[in-house]
Amino acid sequence: MWNYQAFAAWFTDLMHDSGDASYQGEFRRQIARAEFDRLYASESANRLFSEFLTGLN
């Protein structure tokens, strides 16, 4: 249960931080963009993200 809560909180922050820089500033925006890039570039990160998103983890 708490694994999914942690995932939901992380993903929510990631979505908010990656767009408008006024939310948390330009630094957090760039960090969030790097995390998104890793999700698409890394097979392992993508697989774990998919498992959490679908509830298979």
Side-chain angles (χ1 to χ4, degrees):
M1 169 79 162
W2 285 108
N3 246 355
Y4 293 108
Q5 294 298 322
F7 170 76
W10 169 79
F11 191 60
T12 300
D13 286 344
L14 183 64
M15 294 299 287
H16 287 283
D17 288 346
S18 67
D20 186 2
S22 67
Y23 180 69
Q24 287 274 348
E26 185 61 24
F27 178 77
R28 278 297 307 151
R29 182 178 149 332
Q30 292 298 334
I31 294 295
R33 291 295 197 169
E35 289 186 50
F36 268 122
D37 288 344
R38 184 174 44 249
L39 284 177
Y40 291 107
S42 167
E43 186 178 330
S44 299
N46 186 279
R47 183 174 43 250
L48 182 59
F49 175 76
S50 299
E51 287 176 4
F52 272 115
L53 196 61
T54 59
L56 297 175
N57 184 300

